[in-house]
């Protein structure tokens, strides 16, 4: 909404009535012009909870999924792909719960072409105020031959059946041609024609393997829209993977070819190199209306918070130089740039940090900082916590400030991310004592709290970390495999907090989860990260606590 220039007395002190009326007319004309451009509106379809969550280690708990879904709705996402209901009971439950709670966004469930798949998706989304079923099948000859082992005609029959079945559940049906960009165009035309005739209302043509280029993708959409007789009956959608680093460029090119829905994820998380990043797509459209004459309904001031929330929920770090939401996205290091910025920010800034929710004001925090200053600091950093979360974070901040001379933004970020990530954990580290050094064997004495019950054990190991992980194994027997153990310093200095990442894989389901924890003591951070990862696996399988021993 345009900011008002009217002062308290009802009149601007500088502008005349005529000037103000002209300004209002100009704003209205610009808005109308944007609407008049045929279909300038672009539908934002977020698949963080489905394609994003599919990437190794990015698993979210049920509660985290609900929190992310609520946030996406508030941010103005048009369609939220909440999961793949047939994939697991957990996915089904999450899609069902999200369908029940969201009021504005369309809630979508993914399904393959099988009738059971579609019915499971239908069962999950049927509670939604605005349900959608997204059903897909491969159309490239590589996939048809090697994956589906069918003929092209058989696949055409399946397309008709899957769309018709999905339409029995709801009027909003999206059909996707998996590996569309490597599909013979004549065959793709027949597939799209069949899907629309059978009731699909959105046609998604994904670049499943991240292979296409902007020109090629634009051309594909233009050709399909021109050649398919009933193409005006459906909205066309882009869905790009980032294997060659072109997911966002390709998505925007698809719009030029006539697509009006973009499928994307927060922070670009997703299979392999990820999906097109929502924040990049949205800000490209906002920043370059001269070459991208489209509009989205996203409240872009919430993008930074969305990034932080998803990073905390998945424990996937955001690369420092990530466009829009990276820590360095608005940092100016070189003298020449800093000089230009001081003279006029537009010299090196194409969008303001505030436009994506990053505030420049920096409050210095220390052990004398109070609750209000801490809350203001968090707000500046893009976090908005509930009262309980704020209280927990504040207690931990005070404890940290007692141990560490300077508490940097990065320290607070690590602390709050951990708080968000472990808010629902049932098992937590209570105490840890480690004996390490040259006179092995190294040993760890560990106390855990599980639902209010304390258990303690002692273990030895080949080094202190091994001793700690052995102690965890004794208290919480599990078969999960440790895939990754990584330590890095959150800030500079020998008193810096260590941030430990742990990735565990469930050997039965093959799912992996990542968890991050920070502490000035590397060994405490290691124990916390491992336990957080186990909690995540547990909430996937509901097994950890039933196996815990005293
Ligand atoms: O990348 C892809 O093709 C997909 C489909 C399931 C839409 O994610
Ligand atoms: Zn995908």
């Amino acid at each position: 909404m345009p900011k008002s220039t009217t002062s308290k007395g009802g009149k601007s002190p500088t502008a005349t009535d005529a000037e103000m009326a002209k300004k209002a007319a100009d704003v209205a004309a610009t808005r109308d012009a944007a609407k008049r451009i045929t279909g300038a509106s672009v539908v934002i379809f977020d698949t963080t909870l489905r394609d994003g969550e599919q990437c190794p280690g990015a698993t979210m708990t049920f509660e985290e999924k609900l929190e992310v879904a609520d946030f996406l709705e508030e941010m103005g996402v048009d369609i939220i792909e909440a999961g793949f209901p047939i994939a697991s009971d957990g996915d089904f439950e999450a899609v069902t719960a999200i369908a029940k709670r969201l009021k504005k966004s369309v809630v979508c469930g993914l399904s393959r072409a099988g009738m059971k798949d579609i019915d499971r998706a239908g069962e999950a989304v049927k509670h939604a105020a605005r349900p959608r079923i997204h059903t897909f099948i491969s159309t490239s000859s590589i996939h048809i031959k090697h994956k589906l082992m069918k003929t092209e005609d058989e696949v055409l029959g399946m397309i008709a059946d899957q769309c018709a079945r999905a339409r029995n559940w709801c009027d909003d049906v999206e059909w996707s041609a998996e590996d569309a960009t490597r599909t013979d165009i004549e065959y793709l035309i027949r597939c799209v024609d069949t899907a629309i005739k059978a009731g699909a209302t959105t046609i998604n043509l994904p670049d499943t393997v991240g292979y296409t280029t902007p020109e090629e993708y634009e051309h594909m959409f233009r050709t399909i829209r021109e050649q398919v007789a009933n193409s005006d009956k459906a909205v066309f959608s882009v869905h790009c993977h980032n294997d060659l680093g072109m997911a966002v460029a390709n998505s925007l090119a698809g719009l030029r070819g006539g697509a009006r829905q973009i499928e994307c994820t927060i922070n670009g998380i997703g299979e392999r190199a990820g999906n097109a990043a929502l924040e990049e797509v949205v800000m490209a459209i906002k920043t370059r209306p001269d070459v991208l004459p489209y509009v989205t309904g996203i409240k872009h001031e919430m993008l930074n918070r969305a990034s932080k929330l998803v990073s905390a929920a998945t424990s996937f770090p955001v690369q420092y130089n990530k466009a829009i939401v990276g820590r360095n996205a608005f940092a100016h290091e070189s003298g020449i740039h800093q000089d230009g910025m001081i003279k006029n920010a537009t010299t090196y800034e194409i969008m303001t940090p505030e436009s994506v929710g990053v505030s420049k004001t920096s409050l210095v925090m220390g052990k004398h900082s109070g609750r209000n200053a801490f809350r203001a600091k968090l707000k500046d950093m893009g976090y908005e916590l509930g009262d309980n979360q704020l209280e927990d974070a504040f207690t931990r901040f005070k404890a940290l400030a007692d141990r560490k001379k300077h508490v940097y933004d990065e320290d607070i970020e690590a602390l709050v991310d951990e708080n968000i990530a472990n808010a629902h954990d049932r098992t937590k580290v209570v105490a840890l004592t480690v004996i390490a050094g040259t006179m092995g064997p190294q040993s760890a004495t560990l106390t855990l709290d599980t639902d209010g019950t304390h258990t303690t054990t002692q273990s030895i190991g080949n080094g202190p970390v091994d001793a700690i992980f052995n102690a965890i194994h004794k208290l919480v027997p599990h078969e999960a495999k440790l895939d990754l153990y990584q330590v890095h310093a959150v800030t500079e200095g020998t008193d810096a907090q260590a941030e430990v990442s742990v990735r565990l894989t469930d050997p039965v389901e093959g799912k992996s989860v990542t968890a991050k924890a920070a502490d000035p003591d590397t060994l405490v951070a290691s124990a916390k990260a491992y336990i957080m990862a186990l909690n995540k696996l547990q909430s996937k399988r509901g097994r950890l606590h039933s196996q815990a021993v005293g």
Side-chain angles (χ1 to χ4, degrees):
M1 196 188 285
K3 277 191 187 138
S4 164
T5 51
T6 310
S7 70
K8 223 178 171 190
K11 250 188 179 182
S12 156
T14 48
T16 64
D17 285 350
E19 280 170 333
M20 282 173 61
K22 182 174 178 323
K23 196 163 182 191
D26 284 348
V27 171
T30 314
R31 217 188 294 122
D32 288 346
K35 278 193 197 146
R36 266 201 313 277
I37 303 168
T38 321
S41 238
V42 173
V43 172
I44 297 294
F45 176 116
D46 181 280
T47 182
T48 305
L49 295 172
R50 199 277 298 169
D51 222 346
E53 214 235 357
Q54 229 162 285
C55 80
T59 313
M60 286 175 244
T61 62
F62 178 81
E63 291 81 8
E64 285 164 349
K65 286 182 185 180
L66 301 193
E67 201 175 341
V68 170
D70 286 350
F71 192 92
L72 294 176
E73 177 172 65
E74 200 194 326
M75 192 168 72
V77 167
D78 300 290
I79 299 163
I80 296 173
E81 187 161 55
F84 191 179
I86 195 94
S88 68
D89 289 346
D91 255 45
F92 179 82
E93 279 157 26
V95 178
T96 305
I98 292 169
K100 284 181 179 166
R101 66 200 273 130
L102 298 193
K103 296 285 164 282
K104 288 179 280 182
S105 306
V106 171
V107 178
C108 174
L110 182 71
S111 80
R112 289 168 298 190
M115 300 301 125
K116 266 195 189 158
D117 266 52
I118 296 165
D119 291 347
R120 192 78 172 140
E123 284 289 347
V125 298
K126 74 178 183 199
H127 312 277
R130 301 173 66 201
R132 170 180 291 194
I133 294 178
H134 175 192
T135 181
F136 73 99
I137 192 165
S138 295
T139 53
S140 68
S141 53
I142 305 176
H143 280 219
I144 290 180
K145 187 169 164 217
H146 300 293
K147 194 177 97 171
L148 301 179
M149 291 180 279
K150 303 255 178 226
T151 65
E152 287 191 344
D153 282 345
E154 281 171 331
V155 169
L156 282 173
M158 291 168 78
I159 295 171
D161 291 346
Q162 68 183 141
C163 294
R165 181 68 156 229
R167 273 302 288 258
N168 284 341
W169 283 97
C170 54
D171 290 339
D172 187 346
V173 169
E174 171 168 339
W175 176 79
S176 281
E178 193 184 9
D179 206 16
T181 51
R182 292 191 300 167
T183 300
D184 170 68
I185 194 80
E186 294 304 325
Y187 181 62
L188 191 57
I189 290 168
R190 291 170 66 204
C191 292
V192 172
D193 188 55
T194 305
I196 297 176
K197 279 190 182 133
T201 47
T202 295
I203 298 291
N204 182 37
L205 302 178
D207 184 27
T208 304
V209 290
Y211 176 73
T212 199
T213 62
E215 293 72 20
E216 190 181 76
Y217 204 46
E218 174 182 347
H219 186 252
M220 183 185 79
F221 276 97
R222 186 158 288 132
T223 309
I224 295 283
R225 290 182 59 246
E226 279 167 10
Q227 303 287 322
V228 173
N230 47 2
S231 64
D232 60 325
K233 304 268 182 306
V235 172
F236 281 78
S237 169
V238 299
H239 176 115
C240 296
H241 282 268
N242 207 26
D243 298 65
L244 293 174
M246 291 191 278
V248 170
N250 288 337
S251 301
L252 298 172
L255 298 183
R256 279 198 300 277
R260 284 296 177 271
Q261 173 177 291
I262 298 190
E263 303 198 357
C264 44
T265 60
I266 302 294
N267 296 336
I269 62 167
E271 288 273 12
R272 306 181 308 279
N275 290 58
L278 181 149
E279 61 278 7
E280 294 178 25
V281 163
V282 167
M283 290 313 286
I285 290 174
K286 168 156 176 16
T287 309
R288 295 302 307 271
D290 50 336
V291 286
L292 298 166
Y294 314 110
V295 283
T296 75
I298 298 295
K299 296 173 190 155
H300 41 86
E301 295 83 2
M302 294 176 74
L303 289 172
N304 191 45
R305 272 166 60 202
S307 164
K308 290 214 154 72
L309 177 63
V310 169
S311 173
T314 56
S315 300
F316 254 52
V318 177
Q319 96 197 41
Y320 286 1
N321 61 337
K322 165 84 181 60
I324 317 296
V325 291
R327 186 183 288 175
N328 291 353
F330 295 96
H332 300 274
E333 187 74 31
S334 90
I336 297 174
H337 285 207
Q338 284 178 349
D339 180 54
M341 286 292 295
I342 290 163
K343 288 175 177 146
N344 187 322
T346 59
T347 50
Y348 287 101
E349 232 167 48
I350 57 167
M351 57 198 149
T352 64
E354 290 82 1
S355 67
V356 299
V358 174
S359 167
K360 271 184 183 159
T361 52
S362 192
L363 293 168
V364 180
M365 301 299 291
K367 65 178 176 183
H368 301 297
S369 307
R371 202 174 267 95
N372 283 344
F374 184 65
R375 193 199 312 266
K377 178 75 186 174
L378 291 182
K379 196 148 186 268
D380 275 355
M381 291 173 67
Y383 292 105
E384 217 148 277
L385 303 186
D387 287 347
N388 290 347
Q389 274 184 326
L390 180 80
E391 209 44 50
D392 279 0
F394 183 65
T395 309
R396 293 191 54 210
F397 157 73
K398 280 291 198 188
L400 185 65
D402 270 341
R403 293 173 71 184
K404 200 169 177 289
K405 202 162 160 205
H406 302 291
V407 179
Y408 299 100
D409 284 7
E410 291 89 336
D411 287 314
I412 296 177
E413 194 174 297
L415 183 149
V416 175
D417 284 354
E418 191 181 312
N419 247 48
I420 295 173
N422 76 2
H424 304 282
D425 284 359
R426 294 172 58 193
T427 299
K428 296 201 172 157
V429 174
V430 177
L432 175 70
T433 309
V434 178
I435 299 176
T438 51
M439 300 292 288
Q442 290 75 25
S443 73
T445 306
L446 176 69
T447 303
L448 297 181
D449 177 317
T450 300
D451 295 334
T453 305
H454 285 199
T455 51
T456 301
T457 197
Q458 195 187 26
S459 245
I460 56 167
N462 183 15
V465 175
D466 193 41
I468 293 167
F469 290 179
N470 287 341
I472 294 175
H473 260 277
K474 272 174 127 179
L475 291 178
V476 188
H478 59 275
E479 309 94 46
K481 195 171 135 293
L482 177 67
D483 279 342
L484 172 114
Y485 170 77
Q486 207 168 281
V487 185
H488 87 265
V490 174
T491 57
E492 289 162 14
T494 49
D495 69 343
Q497 289 199 93
E499 186 171 72
V500 174
S501 304
V502 163
R503 186 187 301 159
L504 298 178
T505 300
D506 182 324
V508 180
E509 294 192 348
K511 275 260 180 203
S512 52
V513 297
T514 311
K516 264 187 328 185
D519 196 278
D521 185 322
T522 312
L523 298 173
V524 173
S526 303
K528 288 200 297 187
Y530 198 109
I531 286 294
M532 283 168 70
L534 273 180
N535 274 292
K536 274 199 162 188
L537 273 188
Q538 181 273 332
S539 84
K540 279 261 142 209
R541 298 188 62 195
R543 285 175 13 125
L544 170 67
H545 305 293
S546 56
Q547 290 185 353
V549 293

